[in-house]
């Protein structure tokens, strides 16, 4: 994309003095901005969606810029004033609203959620507002539940009433509250409903009056009506073959977990509130950054809709978002009083990576080499190539017992590839004989895969992490190849007490295939005995005392132990 609008609000004095104090060579303002523009070069076109950027240093916006198009139909360019849907970046404002009500004495973070939402089922364990904040409630995720029940994300309108309709029929939790941390949009929708019921105003009105208006965030609001007109709005896009784009829009009348609309300029005002709190008072920044804990005392990196982490040795506070064709991120380096906000309207962007690249330019003198973790990459080997004789020992089926997810690695055209199921299939780029990144993606160098040989009782496995994050362990398991007769044994109709649609298993074109409401036929991939991977997750068929198929259990990232029973013929 070509830069359509450049608004460089820079402070030469601040930047030069900062660099000089670190005894590093002085870099001109124009050089800094040219290097930043290079980061966004791919999106700097008039025939593509793109991104808006703001860079904040010591309480001032030192650079803001628009790259690409907000509306391809009408040739509207992106500027720093363009309004974006920011998806899960919304959550910090929902958590802030709950915190403000707690400050006012209108609720306690340790209140039972059913005190305010009595229609929520009693699962036999206390679920508190604090559990909702930290994603430790055990509640199943609303988007997954709605999808299982027949809603089509972005196509069918989703309202608060729709979310509640699937929540109130649930019979079980993913886990006991406080035992695990599993990201859950449901909790933030429930918190927005609590804000509405406690305050007596809509969630949109409450946030406007108590957060956005006091901070002067005049282009920021929670969109709770999908039909409303939004001035200077960016439309979301997804890419198609041949370099074309198609619309990728949200269709929500629900807010809290998502639905915030804002600009990079307004986010700078919100960012400054963490240093000079006008909303929430002096204790507000510290309260927003209070991290959660599990029942066993393990500290989480999740705070109040914010993730507390590290980047190249520096402390960070950030949260991203992804809905339809929208991607967003704001990363704060609190010790450097430096922040970057990146809002994009293309599903192919990685705003977190873009924000980090901008930080690499502006605060290079402060960055350090990342501390090596269990899955940390070794020093890159220039031009590393592995022979076909070195790769076969890495092929196989790997399983994560925590979330019941399978990855398959295999050789193709002399390269090791990894399949996550469906169309998610990538070539792996070797860094060493046992360490790989994902090739040919803008975020692939952040995806780490370290293979380890079997040792004692521990099978061959690989550790998978993203960036400096905590690794997940995938262990080698034997694969299964069911016969035609085996597949026929799974065929039938299956029902759940927690959703209405009937799920049918049929054998089609030699594959076991799932047929369900409003969805195309979904072929299942065999994994281990009686276990298949599907678009909706991992399906584990169950058998009765006579060894006949009696039903199946569905596990996906945010849905656990979702049970279906086979209907009698």
């Amino acid at each position: 994309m070509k830069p359509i609008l450049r608004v460089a609000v820079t402070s030469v004095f601040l930047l030069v003095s900062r660099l000089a104090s670190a005894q590093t060579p002085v870099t001109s303002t124009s050089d800094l901005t040219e290097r930043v523009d290079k980061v966004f070069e791919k999106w700097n076109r008039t025939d593509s969606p793109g991104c808006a950027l703001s860079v904040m240093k010591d309480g001032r916006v030192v650079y803001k810029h628009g790259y690409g198009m907000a509306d391809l139909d009408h040739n509207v360019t992106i500027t720093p004033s363009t309004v974006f849907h920011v998806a899960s970046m919304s959550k910090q404002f929902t958590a802030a609203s709950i915190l403000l009500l707690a400050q006012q004495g209108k609720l306690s973070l340790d209140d039972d959620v059913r005190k305010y939402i009595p229609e929520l089922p009693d699962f036999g364990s206390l679920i508190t507002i604090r559990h909702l904040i930290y994603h430790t409630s055990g509640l199943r995720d609303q988007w997954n539940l709605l999808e299982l029940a027949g809603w089509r994300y972005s196509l069918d309108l989703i309202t608060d009433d729709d979310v509640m309709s699937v929540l109130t029929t649930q019979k079980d939790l993913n886990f006991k509250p406080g035992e695990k941390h599993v990201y859950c949009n449901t909790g933030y929708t429930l918190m927005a409903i609590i804000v509405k019921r406690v305050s007596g105003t809509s969630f949109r009105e409450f946030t406007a009056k108590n957060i956005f208006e006091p901070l002067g965030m005049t282009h920021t609001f929670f969109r709770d009506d999908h039909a409303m007109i939004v001035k200077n709005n960016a439309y979301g896009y997804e890419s198609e073959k041949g370099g074309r784009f198609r619309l990728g829009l949200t269709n929500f009348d629900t807010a809290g977990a998502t639905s915030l609309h804002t600009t990079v300029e307004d986010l700078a005002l919100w960012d400054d509130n963490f240093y000079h709190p006008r909303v929430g008072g002096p204790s507000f920044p510290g309260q927003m950054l209070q991290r959660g804990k599990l029942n066993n005392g393990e500290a989480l990196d999740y705070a109040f809709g914010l993730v507390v982490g590290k980047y190249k040795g520096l402390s960070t506070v950030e949260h991203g978002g992804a809905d339809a064709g929208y991607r967003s991120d704001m990363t704060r380096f609190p010790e450097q009083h430096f922040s970057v906000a990146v809002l994009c309207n293309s599903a192919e962007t990685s705003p977190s990576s873009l924000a980090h690249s901008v930080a690499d330019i502006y605060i290079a003198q402060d960055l350090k080499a990342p501390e090596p973790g269990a899955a940390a990459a070794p020093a890159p080997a220039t031009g590393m190539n592995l022979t076909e004789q070195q790769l076969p020992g890495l092929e196989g089926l790997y399983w994560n017992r925590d979330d019941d997810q399978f990855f398959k690695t295999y050789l193709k055209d002399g390269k090791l590839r990894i399949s996550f199921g469906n169309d998610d299939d990538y070539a792996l780029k070797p860094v060493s004989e046992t360490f790989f990144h994902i090739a040919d993606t803008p975020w692939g160098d952040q995806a780490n895969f370290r293979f380890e040989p079997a040792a004692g009782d521990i099978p061959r496995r690989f550790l998978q992490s993203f960036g400096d994050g905590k690794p997940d362990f995938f262990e080698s398991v034997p694969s299964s190849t069911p016969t035609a007769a085996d597949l026929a044994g799974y065929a039938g109709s299956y029902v759940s007490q927690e959703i209405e649609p009937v799920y049918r298993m049929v054998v089609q074109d030699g594959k076991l295939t799932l047929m369900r409401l409003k969805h195309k036929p979904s072929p299942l991939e065999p994994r281990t005995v009686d276990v298949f991977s599907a678009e909706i997750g991992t399906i584990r068929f169950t058998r009765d005392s006579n060894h006949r198929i009696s039903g199946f259990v569905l596990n996906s990232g945010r849905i656990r132990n979702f049970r279906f029973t086979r209907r009698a013929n």
Side-chain angles (χ1 to χ4, degrees):
M1 307 173 212
K2 292 183 180 179
I4 311 302
L5 173 68
R6 178 188 297 258
V7 185
V9 184
T10 55
S11 171
V12 178
F13 173 78
L14 286 173
L15 287 173
V16 172
S17 63
R18 174 65 172 163
L19 292 170
S21 66
Q23 295 184 339
T24 58
V26 173
T27 303
S28 70
T29 300
S30 61
D31 179 56
L32 287 172
T33 57
E34 286 175 8
R35 291 168 62 193
V36 169
D37 290 346
K38 188 75 173 176
V39 170
F40 292 86
E41 185 176 27
K42 178 180 178 181
W43 310 104
N44 198 15
R45 297 169 15 213
T46 58
D47 60 350
S48 168
C51 304
L53 164 74
S54 64
V55 182
M56 289 76 78
K57 183 73 178 78
D58 296 328
R60 300 182 63 177
V61 176
V62 296
Y63 188 54
K64 55 182 178 178
H65 193 73
Y67 306 88
M69 309 302 289
D71 181 348
L72 290 171
D73 281 345
H74 302 98
N75 296 320
V76 179
T77 60
I78 291 175
T79 78
S81 299
T82 299
V83 176
F84 289 80
H85 169 93
V86 298
S88 287
M89 275 187 68
S90 308
K91 289 181 171 66
Q92 57 198 283
F93 298 95
T94 305
S97 300
I98 287 288
L99 183 56
L100 292 175
L101 287 174
Q103 289 180 348
Q104 297 167 14
K106 295 182 178 179
L107 56 77
S108 167
L109 302 183
D110 295 310
D111 283 342
D112 186 341
V113 173
R114 296 184 72 247
K115 175 180 179 180
Y116 308 101
I117 308 179
E119 61 268 40
L120 189 70
D122 183 353
F123 295 105
S125 298
L126 173 67
I127 300 175
T128 68
I129 295 175
R130 196 182 299 274
H131 287 135
L132 303 184
I133 293 169
Y134 294 131
H135 303 287
T136 58
S137 68
L139 290 167
R140 291 164 172 161
D141 191 83
Q142 64 189 42
W143 304 130
N144 297 77
L145 289 174
L146 288 163
E147 198 261 350
L148 291 176
W151 272 264
R152 295 166 300 176
Y153 189 84
S154 294
L155 295 177
D156 296 321
L157 178 64
I158 296 175
T159 69
D160 282 346
D161 288 341
D162 294 329
V163 174
M164 293 306 301
S165 74
V166 291
L167 283 183
T168 54
T169 59
Q170 295 303 294
K171 307 297 182 184
D172 202 2
L173 298 171
N174 284 335
F175 49 83
K176 185 177 180 180
E179 283 192 349
K180 296 182 179 181
H181 167 85
V182 175
Y183 195 86
C184 180
N185 288 283
T186 307
Y188 277 76
T189 296
L190 293 179
M191 284 196 288
I193 293 173
I194 290 172
V195 170
K196 177 180 178 179
R197 294 182 179 182
V198 170
S199 68
T201 64
S202 73
F203 183 61
R204 176 179 176 176
E205 292 169 335
F206 179 88
T207 51
K209 180 180 179 181
N210 291 274
I211 301 175
F212 307 138
E213 290 174 6
L215 293 179
M217 299 171 68
T218 56
H219 297 98
T220 301
F221 58 92
F222 275 97
R223 186 176 188 175
D224 54 7
D225 178 1
H226 72 286
M228 72 177 290
I229 302 299
V230 179
K231 298 293 187 182
N232 300 319
N233 189 44
Y235 289 95
Y237 295 93
E238 298 170 351
S239 65
E240 292 186 309
K241 291 182 179 179
R244 296 184 299 271
F245 293 94
R246 60 177 292 141
L247 287 171
L249 303 177
T250 59
N251 197 9
F252 304 147
D253 279 358
T254 180
T258 184
S259 295
L260 183 76
H261 283 58
T262 190
T263 69
V264 293
E265 293 175 325
D266 276 7
L267 287 174
L269 300 171
W270 171 245
D271 178 67
D272 189 56
N273 195 67
F274 281 82
Y275 301 103
H276 308 100
R278 289 181 286 158
V279 166
S283 64
F284 178 81
Q287 291 174 318
M288 284 289 292
L289 295 176
Q290 186 178 31
R291 297 162 58 186
K293 288 185 179 180
L294 298 181
N295 294 341
N296 63 7
E298 179 185 345
L300 303 175
D301 61 7
Y302 205 89
F304 278 59
L306 295 166
V307 179
V308 179
K310 291 276 188 182
Y311 177 69
K312 293 187 176 180
L314 302 185
S315 297
T316 59
V317 178
E318 64 183 310
H319 207 293
D323 270 340
Y326 297 99
R327 300 292 184 268
S328 60
D329 183 82
M330 184 163 74
T331 300
R332 181 181 307 118
F333 294 80
E335 294 171 5
Q336 285 68 40
H337 203 152
F338 176 83
S339 302
V340 183
V342 180
L343 306 182
C344 303
N345 63 334
S346 169
E348 283 61 54
T349 55
S350 176
S352 176
S353 297
L354 293 168
H356 288 168
S357 295
V358 173
D360 288 341
I361 295 168
Y362 273 91
I363 56 172
Q365 72 280 0
D366 295 320
L367 297 172
K368 308 168 186 175
E371 296 179 4
T382 304
M384 165 66 72
N385 286 302
L386 301 182
T387 67
E388 291 194 31
Q389 288 71 38
Q390 292 173 293
L391 293 173
L394 306 179
E395 287 184 285
L397 182 66
Y398 296 85
W399 172 59
N400 182 309
R401 64 176 63 241
D402 287 336
D403 64 6
D404 205 11
Q405 184 180 13
F406 289 86
F407 288 170
K408 181 180 179 181
T409 57
Y410 65 99
L411 282 179
K412 183 178 180 181
D413 299 329
K415 293 184 178 181
L416 189 67
R417 300 187 67 88
I418 188 164
S419 172
F420 305 133
N422 303 318
D423 296 326
D424 294 329
D425 187 285
Y426 301 94
L428 292 179
K429 177 177 64 176
V431 179
S432 75
E433 293 183 2
T434 58
F435 193 95
F436 295 77
H437 292 308
I438 287 180
D440 304 324
T441 67
W443 45 268
D445 284 346
Q446 291 290 303
N448 305 316
F449 296 85
R450 180 186 290 280
F451 290 83
E452 295 182 345
D457 295 333
I458 300 176
R460 188 178 76 231
R461 64 181 185 173
F462 70 75
L463 285 66
Q464 188 272 325
S465 66
F466 195 82
D468 300 333
K470 183 179 178 181
D472 292 315
F473 293 82
F474 287 78
E475 60 190 76
S476 176
V477 292
S479 60
S480 174
T481 306
T483 65
D486 292 332
L487 295 179
Y490 300 115
S493 297
Y494 297 79
V495 295
S496 171
Q497 293 182 336
E498 299 177 281
I499 56 173
E500 293 182 1
V502 176
Y503 280 42
R504 291 189 302 117
M505 297 290 179
V506 301
V507 178
Q508 190 175 84
D509 298 327
K511 284 195 168 187
L512 189 63
T513 302
L514 171 62
M515 316 287 284
R516 59 194 181 111
L517 178 68
K518 291 186 179 181
H519 288 80
K520 295 179 181 180
S522 176
L524 275 60
E525 293 295 329
R527 295 308 188 190
T528 59
V529 175
D530 286 341
V531 180
F532 293 76
S533 288
E535 182 184 3
I536 58 174
T538 298
I539 290 176
R540 291 184 169 271
F541 286 96
T542 56
R543 296 180 180 271
D544 61 20
S545 58
N546 296 314
H547 204 63
R548 293 176 299 201
I549 299 296
S550 58
F552 68 82
V553 175
L554 172 67
N555 290 314
S556 67
R558 299 171 186 175
I559 297 282
R560 310 284 173 88
N561 299 314
F562 200 87
R563 299 185 179 277
F564 287 79
T565 303
R566 189 177 189 178
R567 275 185 172 176
N569 292 332

